[in-house]
Amino acid sequence: MTDNVTVISHPLVQHKLTLMRRKDASTADFRRLLREIGTLLAYEVTQDLPMATRDIETPVAPMKAPVLAGKKLCLVSILRAGDGILEGMLELLPSARVGHIGLYRDPATMVAVEYYYKVPEDLCERQIIVVDPMLATGNTAIAAVQRLKESGGRAIKFVCLLTVPVGLAAFRDAHPDVPVYAAGIDERLNDHGYIVPGIGDAGDRLFGTK
Ligand code: URA
């Protein structure tokens, strides 16, 4: 096991994950559950956002009240399955800026190939939260975070639904400064680089393309 990961063991997350894993879950259910888990993961991953105090007046009395210190957020979705988590996170973080990275896995080599990249210009000032349901071999996650660092990203967290020890280890070796948040750590990868037992192809299940 690696030490760069926080597993979100909240009962709601675990229950919803089980519902998503079932092969007979409909596209509509899978989509809704991924969005709901995205919202719950947003709650967990923002626990350490810096706070400040503001003077306000309630109907009864003035008070000094806690507010977010204004640390600017940027959510970065790895296309296309990342959008399922992104949607749920935006429910809770509606002002966050959003970036997209298009990467696909070459099925023969498992190497990540970039086809799209659009992120806010002021990445270096933002807390970046990268989202992708599956951290499998780690190749895509490693490439995405590398690209963000090259664009000036400094404070980066990676949020996924499922991962495996081998992918986590590869990611930690490449980016030891980037903590990973996951709803579960599964056993292994199969010969096609899919997580076992996993959820299957997250993009296909989210968009109903297979
Ligand atoms: N990508 C997926 O969609 N599923 C996996 O199991 C691994 C990578």
Side-chain angles (χ1 to χ4, degrees), residues 35 38-47 49 68 71-76 85-98 126-131 157 159:
R35 189 181 65 237
T39 304
L40 295 166
L41 295 180
Y43 176 79
E44 295 283 350
V45 76
T46 51
Q47 290 220 25
L49 282 181
L68 292 171
K71 178 88 177 174
K72 297 192 264 180
L73 288 172
C74 178
L75 308 179
V76 176
I85 296 182
L86 172 70
E87 219 184 289
M89 287 201 166
L90 284 172
E91 295 270 336
L92 212 55
L93 307 166
S95 304
R97 299 295 187 265
V98 175
R126 296 183 180 272
Q127 170 65 60
I128 300 168
I129 301 172
V130 185
V131 296
K157 296 180 177 187
V159 176

PDB file of all heavy atoms in Angstrom, residues 35 38-47 49 68 71-76 85-98 126-131 157 159:
ATOM      1  N   ARG A  35     -22.314  11.516 -10.301  1.00  0.00           N
ATOM      2  CA  ARG A  35     -22.479  12.934  -9.953  1.00  0.00           C
ATOM      3  C   ARG A  35     -22.610  13.104  -8.435  1.00  0.00           C
ATOM      4  O   ARG A  35     -21.978  13.970  -7.839  1.00  0.00           O
ATOM      5  CB  ARG A  35     -23.716  13.495 -10.658  1.00  0.00           C
ATOM      6  CG  ARG A  35     -23.844  15.000 -10.538  1.00  0.00           C
ATOM      7  CD  ARG A  35     -25.089  15.513 -11.228  1.00  0.00           C
ATOM      8  NE  ARG A  35     -26.301  15.026 -10.604  1.00  0.00           N
ATOM      9  CZ  ARG A  35     -27.272  14.341 -11.215  1.00  0.00           C
ATOM     10  NH1 ARG A  35     -27.194  14.073 -12.499  1.00  0.00           N
ATOM     11  NH2 ARG A  35     -28.332  13.916 -10.553  1.00  0.00           N
ATOM     12  N   GLY A  38     -19.398  12.546  -6.802  1.00  0.00           N
ATOM     13  CA  GLY A  38     -18.558  13.722  -7.072  1.00  0.00           C
ATOM     14  C   GLY A  38     -18.803  14.830  -6.061  1.00  0.00           C
ATOM     15  O   GLY A  38     -17.867  15.466  -5.568  1.00  0.00           O
ATOM     16  N   THR A  39     -20.062  15.047  -5.727  1.00  0.00           N
ATOM     17  CA  THR A  39     -20.399  16.078  -4.740  1.00  0.00           C
ATOM     18  C   THR A  39     -19.823  15.710  -3.374  1.00  0.00           C
ATOM     19  O   THR A  39     -19.232  16.552  -2.679  1.00  0.00           O
ATOM     20  CB  THR A  39     -21.929  16.238  -4.636  1.00  0.00           C
ATOM     21  OG1 THR A  39     -22.449  16.518  -5.934  1.00  0.00           O
ATOM     22  CG2 THR A  39     -22.305  17.368  -3.701  1.00  0.00           C
ATOM     23  N   LEU A  40     -19.958  14.445  -3.007  1.00  0.00           N
ATOM     24  CA  LEU A  40     -19.444  14.007  -1.703  1.00  0.00           C
ATOM     25  C   LEU A  40     -17.913  14.076  -1.663  1.00  0.00           C
ATOM     26  O   LEU A  40     -17.323  14.450  -0.640  1.00  0.00           O
ATOM     27  CB  LEU A  40     -19.926  12.584  -1.399  1.00  0.00           C
ATOM     28  CG  LEU A  40     -21.447  12.448  -1.223  1.00  0.00           C
ATOM     29  CD1 LEU A  40     -21.874  10.993  -1.270  1.00  0.00           C
ATOM     30  CD2 LEU A  40     -21.875  13.089   0.098  1.00  0.00           C
ATOM     31  N   LEU A  41     -17.276  13.734  -2.766  1.00  0.00           N
ATOM     32  CA  LEU A  41     -15.811  13.807  -2.808  1.00  0.00           C
ATOM     33  C   LEU A  41     -15.341  15.259  -2.737  1.00  0.00           C
ATOM     34  O   LEU A  41     -14.307  15.563  -2.138  1.00  0.00           O
ATOM     35  CB  LEU A  41     -15.265  13.124  -4.073  1.00  0.00           C
ATOM     36  CG  LEU A  41     -15.488  11.610  -4.176  1.00  0.00           C
ATOM     37  CD1 LEU A  41     -14.902  11.072  -5.485  1.00  0.00           C
ATOM     38  CD2 LEU A  41     -14.856  10.874  -3.001  1.00  0.00           C
ATOM     39  N   ALA A  42     -16.113  16.161  -3.342  1.00  0.00           N
ATOM     40  CA  ALA A  42     -15.759  17.594  -3.268  1.00  0.00           C
ATOM     41  C   ALA A  42     -15.751  18.061  -1.816  1.00  0.00           C
ATOM     42  O   ALA A  42     -14.872  18.816  -1.387  1.00  0.00           O
ATOM     43  CB  ALA A  42     -16.750  18.424  -4.086  1.00  0.00           C
ATOM     44  N   TYR A  43     -16.730  17.585  -1.059  1.00  0.00           N
ATOM     45  CA  TYR A  43     -16.813  17.928   0.368  1.00  0.00           C
ATOM     46  C   TYR A  43     -15.545  17.465   1.092  1.00  0.00           C
ATOM     47  O   TYR A  43     -14.937  18.209   1.877  1.00  0.00           O
ATOM     48  CB  TYR A  43     -18.064  17.270   0.945  1.00  0.00           C
ATOM     49  CG  TYR A  43     -18.255  17.436   2.415  1.00  0.00           C
ATOM     50  CD1 TYR A  43     -18.752  18.620   2.946  1.00  0.00           C
ATOM     51  CD2 TYR A  43     -17.955  16.397   3.292  1.00  0.00           C
ATOM     52  CE1 TYR A  43     -18.940  18.766   4.312  1.00  0.00           C
ATOM     53  CE2 TYR A  43     -18.143  16.532   4.647  1.00  0.00           C
ATOM     54  CZ  TYR A  43     -18.630  17.717   5.155  1.00  0.00           C
ATOM     55  OH  TYR A  43     -18.810  17.848   6.499  1.00  0.00           O
ATOM     56  N   GLU A  44     -15.118  16.231   0.799  1.00  0.00           N
ATOM     57  CA  GLU A  44     -13.950  15.672   1.492  1.00  0.00           C
ATOM     58  C   GLU A  44     -12.646  16.359   1.084  1.00  0.00           C
ATOM     59  O   GLU A  44     -11.818  16.658   1.929  1.00  0.00           O
ATOM     60  CB  GLU A  44     -13.837  14.167   1.176  1.00  0.00           C
ATOM     61  CG  GLU A  44     -14.979  13.337   1.706  1.00  0.00           C
ATOM     62  CD  GLU A  44     -14.861  13.076   3.207  1.00  0.00           C
ATOM     63  OE1 GLU A  44     -13.816  13.380   3.798  1.00  0.00           O
ATOM     64  OE2 GLU A  44     -15.846  12.570   3.771  1.00  0.00           O
ATOM     65  N   VAL A  45     -12.509  16.619  -0.209  1.00  0.00           N
ATOM     66  CA  VAL A  45     -11.211  17.104  -0.701  1.00  0.00           C
ATOM     67  C   VAL A  45     -10.984  18.585  -0.371  1.00  0.00           C
ATOM     68  O   VAL A  45      -9.865  19.079  -0.455  1.00  0.00           O
ATOM     69  CB  VAL A  45     -11.079  16.807  -2.223  1.00  0.00           C
ATOM     70  CG1 VAL A  45     -11.901  17.760  -3.048  1.00  0.00           C
ATOM     71  CG2 VAL A  45      -9.628  16.820  -2.659  1.00  0.00           C
ATOM     72  N   THR A  46     -12.059  19.269   0.019  1.00  0.00           N
ATOM     73  CA  THR A  46     -11.924  20.697   0.347  1.00  0.00           C
ATOM     74  C   THR A  46     -11.856  20.937   1.865  1.00  0.00           C
ATOM     75  O   THR A  46     -11.926  22.074   2.316  1.00  0.00           O
ATOM     76  CB  THR A  46     -13.112  21.501  -0.217  1.00  0.00           C
ATOM     77  OG1 THR A  46     -14.339  20.866   0.187  1.00  0.00           O
ATOM     78  CG2 THR A  46     -13.061  21.565  -1.734  1.00  0.00           C
ATOM     79  N   GLN A  47     -11.693  19.848   2.624  1.00  0.00           N
ATOM     80  CA  GLN A  47     -11.708  19.993   4.089  1.00  0.00           C
ATOM     81  C   GLN A  47     -10.642  20.937   4.606  1.00  0.00           C
ATOM     82  O   GLN A  47     -10.805  21.528   5.673  1.00  0.00           O
ATOM     83  CB  GLN A  47     -11.485  18.621   4.741  1.00  0.00           C
ATOM     84  CG  GLN A  47     -12.661  17.703   4.570  1.00  0.00           C
ATOM     85  CD  GLN A  47     -12.922  16.901   5.832  1.00  0.00           C
ATOM     86  OE1 GLN A  47     -12.560  17.335   6.917  1.00  0.00           O
ATOM     87  NE2 GLN A  47     -13.541  15.758   5.689  1.00  0.00           N
ATOM     88  N   LEU A  49      -9.369  23.682   3.059  1.00  0.00           N
ATOM     89  CA  LEU A  49      -9.312  25.015   2.437  1.00  0.00           C
ATOM     90  C   LEU A  49      -9.094  26.064   3.524  1.00  0.00           C
ATOM     91  O   LEU A  49      -9.713  25.990   4.598  1.00  0.00           O
ATOM     92  CB  LEU A  49     -10.615  25.329   1.699  1.00  0.00           C
ATOM     93  CG  LEU A  49     -10.818  24.693   0.326  1.00  0.00           C
ATOM     94  CD1 LEU A  49     -12.156  25.138  -0.263  1.00  0.00           C
ATOM     95  CD2 LEU A  49      -9.679  25.029  -0.619  1.00  0.00           C
ATOM     96  N   LEU A  68     -14.597  31.226   3.616  1.00  0.00           N
ATOM     97  CA  LEU A  68     -13.438  30.738   2.861  1.00  0.00           C
ATOM     98  C   LEU A  68     -12.480  31.897   2.636  1.00  0.00           C
ATOM     99  O   LEU A  68     -12.911  33.020   2.342  1.00  0.00           O
ATOM    100  CB  LEU A  68     -13.885  30.153   1.522  1.00  0.00           C
ATOM    101  CG  LEU A  68     -14.687  28.860   1.595  1.00  0.00           C
ATOM    102  CD1 LEU A  68     -15.250  28.504   0.226  1.00  0.00           C
ATOM    103  CD2 LEU A  68     -13.821  27.726   2.136  1.00  0.00           C
ATOM    104  N   LYS A  71      -9.086  31.260  -1.332  1.00  0.00           N
ATOM    105  CA  LYS A  71      -8.192  30.435  -2.154  1.00  0.00           C
ATOM    106  C   LYS A  71      -8.972  30.029  -3.391  1.00  0.00           C
ATOM    107  O   LYS A  71     -10.042  29.427  -3.315  1.00  0.00           O
ATOM    108  CB  LYS A  71      -7.780  29.193  -1.368  1.00  0.00           C
ATOM    109  CG  LYS A  71      -6.900  28.244  -2.123  1.00  0.00           C
ATOM    110  CD  LYS A  71      -5.455  28.605  -1.973  1.00  0.00           C
ATOM    111  CE  LYS A  71      -4.541  27.605  -2.682  1.00  0.00           C
ATOM    112  NZ  LYS A  71      -3.159  28.019  -2.654  1.00  0.00           N
ATOM    113  N   LYS A  72      -8.434  30.395  -4.517  1.00  0.00           N
ATOM    114  CA  LYS A  72      -9.192  30.161  -5.745  1.00  0.00           C
ATOM    115  C   LYS A  72      -9.031  28.712  -6.189  1.00  0.00           C
ATOM    116  O   LYS A  72      -7.938  28.165  -6.150  1.00  0.00           O
ATOM    117  CB  LYS A  72      -8.711  31.131  -6.812  1.00  0.00           C
ATOM    118  CG  LYS A  72      -8.967  32.581  -6.418  1.00  0.00           C
ATOM    119  CD  LYS A  72      -8.772  33.503  -7.585  1.00  0.00           C
ATOM    120  CE  LYS A  72      -7.384  34.096  -7.593  1.00  0.00           C
ATOM    121  NZ  LYS A  72      -7.141  34.996  -8.712  1.00  0.00           N
ATOM    122  N   LEU A  73     -10.126  28.140  -6.632  1.00  0.00           N
ATOM    123  CA  LEU A  73     -10.111  26.731  -7.028  1.00  0.00           C
ATOM    124  C   LEU A  73     -10.123  26.590  -8.540  1.00  0.00           C
ATOM    125  O   LEU A  73     -10.704  27.409  -9.249  1.00  0.00           O
ATOM    126  CB  LEU A  73     -11.355  26.025  -6.489  1.00  0.00           C
ATOM    127  CG  LEU A  73     -11.403  25.758  -4.985  1.00  0.00           C
ATOM    128  CD1 LEU A  73     -12.782  25.229  -4.609  1.00  0.00           C
ATOM    129  CD2 LEU A  73     -10.328  24.765  -4.582  1.00  0.00           C
ATOM    130  N   CYS A  74      -9.511  25.542  -9.007  1.00  0.00           N
ATOM    131  CA  CYS A  74      -9.667  25.153 -10.411  1.00  0.00           C
ATOM    132  C   CYS A  74      -9.875  23.642 -10.460  1.00  0.00           C
ATOM    133  O   CYS A  74      -9.020  22.882 -10.002  1.00  0.00           O
ATOM    134  CB  CYS A  74      -8.437  25.539 -11.225  1.00  0.00           C
ATOM    135  SG  CYS A  74      -8.582  25.008 -12.940  1.00  0.00           S
ATOM    136  N   LEU A  75     -11.021  23.235 -10.966  1.00  0.00           N
ATOM    137  CA  LEU A  75     -11.277  21.814 -11.173  1.00  0.00           C
ATOM    138  C   LEU A  75     -10.820  21.462 -12.581  1.00  0.00           C
ATOM    139  O   LEU A  75     -11.113  22.204 -13.525  1.00  0.00           O
ATOM    140  CB  LEU A  75     -12.776  21.514 -11.023  1.00  0.00           C
ATOM    141  CG  LEU A  75     -13.436  22.011  -9.743  1.00  0.00           C
ATOM    142  CD1 LEU A  75     -14.930  21.671  -9.752  1.00  0.00           C
ATOM    143  CD2 LEU A  75     -12.755  21.422  -8.520  1.00  0.00           C
ATOM    144  N   VAL A  76     -10.089  20.381 -12.704  1.00  0.00           N
ATOM    145  CA  VAL A  76      -9.629  19.961 -14.030  1.00  0.00           C
ATOM    146  C   VAL A  76     -10.144  18.557 -14.305  1.00  0.00           C
ATOM    147  O   VAL A  76      -9.819  17.613 -13.583  1.00  0.00           O
ATOM    148  CB  VAL A  76      -8.092  19.990 -14.132  1.00  0.00           C
ATOM    149  CG1 VAL A  76      -7.647  19.458 -15.494  1.00  0.00           C
ATOM    150  CG2 VAL A  76      -7.568  21.405 -13.923  1.00  0.00           C
ATOM    151  N   ILE A  85     -17.614  13.256 -12.632  1.00  0.00           N
ATOM    152  CA  ILE A  85     -17.289  13.724 -11.274  1.00  0.00           C
ATOM    153  C   ILE A  85     -17.365  15.246 -11.220  1.00  0.00           C
ATOM    154  O   ILE A  85     -17.867  15.831 -10.259  1.00  0.00           O
ATOM    155  CB  ILE A  85     -15.881  13.248 -10.852  1.00  0.00           C
ATOM    156  CG1 ILE A  85     -15.830  11.730 -10.765  1.00  0.00           C
ATOM    157  CG2 ILE A  85     -15.490  13.873  -9.522  1.00  0.00           C
ATOM    158  CD1 ILE A  85     -14.488  11.188 -10.303  1.00  0.00           C
ATOM    159  N   LEU A  86     -16.865  15.882 -12.271  1.00  0.00           N
ATOM    160  CA  LEU A  86     -16.858  17.355 -12.334  1.00  0.00           C
ATOM    161  C   LEU A  86     -18.245  17.934 -12.079  1.00  0.00           C
ATOM    162  O   LEU A  86     -18.412  18.883 -11.295  1.00  0.00           O
ATOM    163  CB  LEU A  86     -16.357  17.790 -13.715  1.00  0.00           C
ATOM    164  CG  LEU A  86     -16.466  19.273 -14.039  1.00  0.00           C
ATOM    165  CD1 LEU A  86     -15.461  20.066 -13.205  1.00  0.00           C
ATOM    166  CD2 LEU A  86     -16.241  19.528 -15.534  1.00  0.00           C
ATOM    167  N   GLU A  87     -19.237  17.347 -12.740  1.00  0.00           N
ATOM    168  CA  GLU A  87     -20.606  17.847 -12.607  1.00  0.00           C
ATOM    169  C   GLU A  87     -21.051  17.871 -11.145  1.00  0.00           C
ATOM    170  O   GLU A  87     -21.636  18.834 -10.668  1.00  0.00           O
ATOM    171  CB  GLU A  87     -21.537  16.925 -13.406  1.00  0.00           C
ATOM    172  CG  GLU A  87     -22.633  17.650 -14.130  1.00  0.00           C
ATOM    173  CD  GLU A  87     -23.565  16.664 -14.804  1.00  0.00           C
ATOM    174  OE1 GLU A  87     -23.141  16.050 -15.799  1.00  0.00           O
ATOM    175  OE2 GLU A  87     -24.681  16.502 -14.324  1.00  0.00           O
ATOM    176  N   GLY A  88     -20.746  16.793 -10.437  1.00  0.00           N
ATOM    177  CA  GLY A  88     -21.115  16.714  -9.027  1.00  0.00           C
ATOM    178  C   GLY A  88     -20.346  17.707  -8.178  1.00  0.00           C
ATOM    179  O   GLY A  88     -20.893  18.315  -7.248  1.00  0.00           O
ATOM    180  N   MET A  89     -19.086  17.909  -8.490  1.00  0.00           N
ATOM    181  CA  MET A  89     -18.277  18.856  -7.704  1.00  0.00           C
ATOM    182  C   MET A  89     -18.762  20.287  -7.892  1.00  0.00           C
ATOM    183  O   MET A  89     -18.751  21.087  -6.956  1.00  0.00           O
ATOM    184  CB  MET A  89     -16.808  18.746  -8.106  1.00  0.00           C
ATOM    185  CG  MET A  89     -16.151  17.492  -7.602  1.00  0.00           C
ATOM    186  SD  MET A  89     -14.371  17.677  -7.559  1.00  0.00           S
ATOM    187  CE  MET A  89     -13.927  16.256  -6.551  1.00  0.00           C
ATOM    188  N   LEU A  90     -19.207  20.598  -9.120  1.00  0.00           N
ATOM    189  CA  LEU A  90     -19.654  21.975  -9.390  1.00  0.00           C
ATOM    190  C   LEU A  90     -20.937  22.316  -8.635  1.00  0.00           C
ATOM    191  O   LEU A  90     -21.227  23.485  -8.404  1.00  0.00           O
ATOM    192  CB  LEU A  90     -19.837  22.181 -10.898  1.00  0.00           C
ATOM    193  CG  LEU A  90     -18.528  22.338 -11.680  1.00  0.00           C
ATOM    194  CD1 LEU A  90     -18.795  22.332 -13.178  1.00  0.00           C
ATOM    195  CD2 LEU A  90     -17.778  23.593 -11.275  1.00  0.00           C
ATOM    196  N   GLU A  91     -21.694  21.291  -8.235  1.00  0.00           N
ATOM    197  CA  GLU A  91     -22.889  21.546  -7.410  1.00  0.00           C
ATOM    198  C   GLU A  91     -22.487  22.254  -6.122  1.00  0.00           C
ATOM    199  O   GLU A  91     -23.187  23.127  -5.620  1.00  0.00           O
ATOM    200  CB  GLU A  91     -23.561  20.222  -7.035  1.00  0.00           C
ATOM    201  CG  GLU A  91     -24.125  19.441  -8.187  1.00  0.00           C
ATOM    202  CD  GLU A  91     -25.564  19.821  -8.476  1.00  0.00           C
ATOM    203  OE1 GLU A  91     -26.227  20.311  -7.565  1.00  0.00           O
ATOM    204  OE2 GLU A  91     -25.985  19.637  -9.629  1.00  0.00           O
ATOM    205  N   LEU A  92     -21.341  21.830  -5.585  1.00  0.00           N
ATOM    206  CA  LEU A  92     -20.890  22.350  -4.295  1.00  0.00           C
ATOM    207  C   LEU A  92     -19.948  23.539  -4.468  1.00  0.00           C
ATOM    208  O   LEU A  92     -19.809  24.373  -3.565  1.00  0.00           O
ATOM    209  CB  LEU A  92     -20.145  21.219  -3.555  1.00  0.00           C
ATOM    210  CG  LEU A  92     -20.203  21.169  -2.050  1.00  0.00           C
ATOM    211  CD1 LEU A  92     -21.649  21.145  -1.561  1.00  0.00           C
ATOM    212  CD2 LEU A  92     -19.489  19.897  -1.571  1.00  0.00           C
ATOM    213  N   LEU A  93     -19.283  23.607  -5.608  1.00  0.00           N
ATOM    214  CA  LEU A  93     -18.252  24.624  -5.855  1.00  0.00           C
ATOM    215  C   LEU A  93     -18.592  25.383  -7.135  1.00  0.00           C
ATOM    216  O   LEU A  93     -17.844  25.340  -8.117  1.00  0.00           O
ATOM    217  CB  LEU A  93     -16.884  23.939  -6.005  1.00  0.00           C
ATOM    218  CG  LEU A  93     -16.473  22.993  -4.874  1.00  0.00           C
ATOM    219  CD1 LEU A  93     -15.288  22.133  -5.279  1.00  0.00           C
ATOM    220  CD2 LEU A  93     -16.140  23.801  -3.625  1.00  0.00           C
ATOM    221  N   PRO A  94     -19.723  26.094  -7.146  1.00  0.00           N
ATOM    222  CA  PRO A  94     -20.214  26.656  -8.411  1.00  0.00           C
ATOM    223  C   PRO A  94     -19.326  27.755  -8.991  1.00  0.00           C
ATOM    224  O   PRO A  94     -19.425  28.046 -10.177  1.00  0.00           O
ATOM    225  CB  PRO A  94     -21.600  27.213  -8.029  1.00  0.00           C
ATOM    226  CG  PRO A  94     -21.551  27.402  -6.558  1.00  0.00           C
ATOM    227  CD  PRO A  94     -20.623  26.365  -6.015  1.00  0.00           C
ATOM    228  N   SER A  95     -18.454  28.344  -8.166  1.00  0.00           N
ATOM    229  CA  SER A  95     -17.608  29.427  -8.683  1.00  0.00           C
ATOM    230  C   SER A  95     -16.250  28.941  -9.157  1.00  0.00           C
ATOM    231  O   SER A  95     -15.444  29.747  -9.631  1.00  0.00           O
ATOM    232  CB  SER A  95     -17.382  30.488  -7.598  1.00  0.00           C
ATOM    233  OG  SER A  95     -18.604  30.974  -7.129  1.00  0.00           O
ATOM    234  N   ALA A  96     -15.987  27.660  -8.986  1.00  0.00           N
ATOM    235  CA  ALA A  96     -14.663  27.157  -9.375  1.00  0.00           C
ATOM    236  C   ALA A  96     -14.459  27.335 -10.876  1.00  0.00           C
ATOM    237  O   ALA A  96     -15.390  27.206 -11.665  1.00  0.00           O
ATOM    238  CB  ALA A  96     -14.545  25.683  -9.004  1.00  0.00           C
ATOM    239  N   ARG A  97     -13.222  27.635 -11.243  1.00  0.00           N
ATOM    240  CA  ARG A  97     -12.864  27.614 -12.653  1.00  0.00           C
ATOM    241  C   ARG A  97     -12.688  26.162 -13.082  1.00  0.00           C
ATOM    242  O   ARG A  97     -12.428  25.295 -12.253  1.00  0.00           O
ATOM    243  CB  ARG A  97     -11.567  28.393 -12.904  1.00  0.00           C
ATOM    244  CG  ARG A  97     -11.679  29.857 -12.519  1.00  0.00           C
ATOM    245  CD  ARG A  97     -12.698  30.550 -13.423  1.00  0.00           C
ATOM    246  NE  ARG A  97     -12.702  31.981 -13.188  1.00  0.00           N
ATOM    247  CZ  ARG A  97     -13.519  32.622 -12.372  1.00  0.00           C
ATOM    248  NH1 ARG A  97     -14.430  31.945 -11.679  1.00  0.00           N
ATOM    249  NH2 ARG A  97     -13.452  33.928 -12.214  1.00  0.00           N
ATOM    250  N   VAL A  98     -12.794  25.928 -14.374  1.00  0.00           N
ATOM    251  CA  VAL A  98     -12.729  24.548 -14.873  1.00  0.00           C
ATOM    252  C   VAL A  98     -11.752  24.449 -16.040  1.00  0.00           C
ATOM    253  O   VAL A  98     -11.788  25.279 -16.963  1.00  0.00           O
ATOM    254  CB  VAL A  98     -14.126  24.069 -15.326  1.00  0.00           C
ATOM    255  CG1 VAL A  98     -14.036  22.681 -15.964  1.00  0.00           C
ATOM    256  CG2 VAL A  98     -15.084  24.023 -14.138  1.00  0.00           C
ATOM    257  N   ARG A 126      -4.019  28.992  -8.061  1.00  0.00           N
ATOM    258  CA  ARG A 126      -5.224  28.234  -7.690  1.00  0.00           C
ATOM    259  C   ARG A 126      -4.905  26.891  -7.050  1.00  0.00           C
ATOM    260  O   ARG A 126      -3.892  26.260  -7.386  1.00  0.00           O
ATOM    261  CB  ARG A 126      -6.102  28.006  -8.939  1.00  0.00           C
ATOM    262  CG  ARG A 126      -6.625  29.303  -9.494  1.00  0.00           C
ATOM    263  CD  ARG A 126      -7.552  29.086 -10.674  1.00  0.00           C
ATOM    264  NE  ARG A 126      -8.011  30.388 -11.154  1.00  0.00           N
ATOM    265  CZ  ARG A 126      -9.076  31.019 -10.692  1.00  0.00           C
ATOM    266  NH1 ARG A 126      -9.821  30.462  -9.769  1.00  0.00           N
ATOM    267  NH2 ARG A 126      -9.414  32.206 -11.156  1.00  0.00           N
ATOM    268  N   GLN A 127      -5.801  26.469  -6.173  1.00  0.00           N
ATOM    269  CA  GLN A 127      -5.805  25.076  -5.715  1.00  0.00           C
ATOM    270  C   GLN A 127      -6.446  24.260  -6.834  1.00  0.00           C
ATOM    271  O   GLN A 127      -7.607  24.492  -7.188  1.00  0.00           O
ATOM    272  CB  GLN A 127      -6.608  24.931  -4.423  1.00  0.00           C
ATOM    273  CG  GLN A 127      -6.864  23.499  -4.004  1.00  0.00           C
ATOM    274  CD  GLN A 127      -5.590  22.757  -3.647  1.00  0.00           C
ATOM    275  OE1 GLN A 127      -4.867  23.161  -2.730  1.00  0.00           O
ATOM    276  NE2 GLN A 127      -5.286  21.675  -4.368  1.00  0.00           N
ATOM    277  N   ILE A 128      -5.686  23.350  -7.386  1.00  0.00           N
ATOM    278  CA  ILE A 128      -6.160  22.557  -8.515  1.00  0.00           C
ATOM    279  C   ILE A 128      -6.643  21.185  -8.026  1.00  0.00           C
ATOM    280  O   ILE A 128      -5.943  20.519  -7.256  1.00  0.00           O
ATOM    281  CB  ILE A 128      -5.034  22.370  -9.555  1.00  0.00           C
ATOM    282  CG1 ILE A 128      -4.573  23.732 -10.080  1.00  0.00           C
ATOM    283  CG2 ILE A 128      -5.489  21.470 -10.698  1.00  0.00           C
ATOM    284  CD1 ILE A 128      -3.287  23.673 -10.889  1.00  0.00           C
ATOM    285  N   ILE A 129      -7.819  20.798  -8.477  1.00  0.00           N
ATOM    286  CA  ILE A 129      -8.347  19.471  -8.156  1.00  0.00           C
ATOM    287  C   ILE A 129      -8.603  18.754  -9.481  1.00  0.00           C
ATOM    288  O   ILE A 129      -9.494  19.144 -10.246  1.00  0.00           O
ATOM    289  CB  ILE A 129      -9.647  19.570  -7.328  1.00  0.00           C
ATOM    290  CG1 ILE A 129      -9.380  20.331  -6.024  1.00  0.00           C
ATOM    291  CG2 ILE A 129     -10.204  18.172  -7.048  1.00  0.00           C
ATOM    292  CD1 ILE A 129     -10.637  20.646  -5.216  1.00  0.00           C
ATOM    293  N   VAL A 130      -7.782  17.753  -9.761  1.00  0.00           N
ATOM    294  CA  VAL A 130      -7.911  16.997 -11.011  1.00  0.00           C
ATOM    295  C   VAL A 130      -8.860  15.827 -10.764  1.00  0.00           C
ATOM    296  O   VAL A 130      -8.743  15.139  -9.737  1.00  0.00           O
ATOM    297  CB  VAL A 130      -6.538  16.450 -11.469  1.00  0.00           C
ATOM    298  CG1 VAL A 130      -6.662  15.774 -12.825  1.00  0.00           C
ATOM    299  CG2 VAL A 130      -5.496  17.549 -11.508  1.00  0.00           C
ATOM    300  N   VAL A 131      -9.786  15.603 -11.688  1.00  0.00           N
ATOM    301  CA  VAL A 131     -10.752  14.522 -11.493  1.00  0.00           C
ATOM    302  C   VAL A 131     -10.771  13.555 -12.673  1.00  0.00           C
ATOM    303  O   VAL A 131     -10.767  13.964 -13.837  1.00  0.00           O
ATOM    304  CB  VAL A 131     -12.183  15.064 -11.238  1.00  0.00           C
ATOM    305  CG1 VAL A 131     -12.228  15.848  -9.953  1.00  0.00           C
ATOM    306  CG2 VAL A 131     -12.705  15.902 -12.388  1.00  0.00           C
ATOM    307  N   LYS A 157      -4.308  18.402  -6.280  1.00  0.00           N
ATOM    308  CA  LYS A 157      -4.833  17.179  -5.680  1.00  0.00           C
ATOM    309  C   LYS A 157      -5.463  16.357  -6.796  1.00  0.00           C
ATOM    310  O   LYS A 157      -5.958  16.927  -7.775  1.00  0.00           O
ATOM    311  CB  LYS A 157      -5.900  17.494  -4.631  1.00  0.00           C
ATOM    312  CG  LYS A 157      -5.371  18.267  -3.432  1.00  0.00           C
ATOM    313  CD  LYS A 157      -6.483  18.540  -2.442  1.00  0.00           C
ATOM    314  CE  LYS A 157      -5.931  19.259  -1.218  1.00  0.00           C
ATOM    315  NZ  LYS A 157      -6.946  19.407  -0.157  1.00  0.00           N
ATOM    316  N   VAL A 159      -8.354  13.435  -7.617  1.00  0.00           N
ATOM    317  CA  VAL A 159      -9.529  12.751  -7.072  1.00  0.00           C
ATOM    318  C   VAL A 159     -10.032  11.711  -8.067  1.00  0.00           C
ATOM    319  O   VAL A 159     -10.245  12.030  -9.242  1.00  0.00           O
ATOM    320  CB  VAL A 159     -10.666  13.758  -6.778  1.00  0.00           C
ATOM    321  CG1 VAL A 159     -11.919  13.027  -6.304  1.00  0.00           C
ATOM    322  CG2 VAL A 159     -10.214  14.762  -5.727  1.00  0.00           C
TER     323      VAL A 159
END
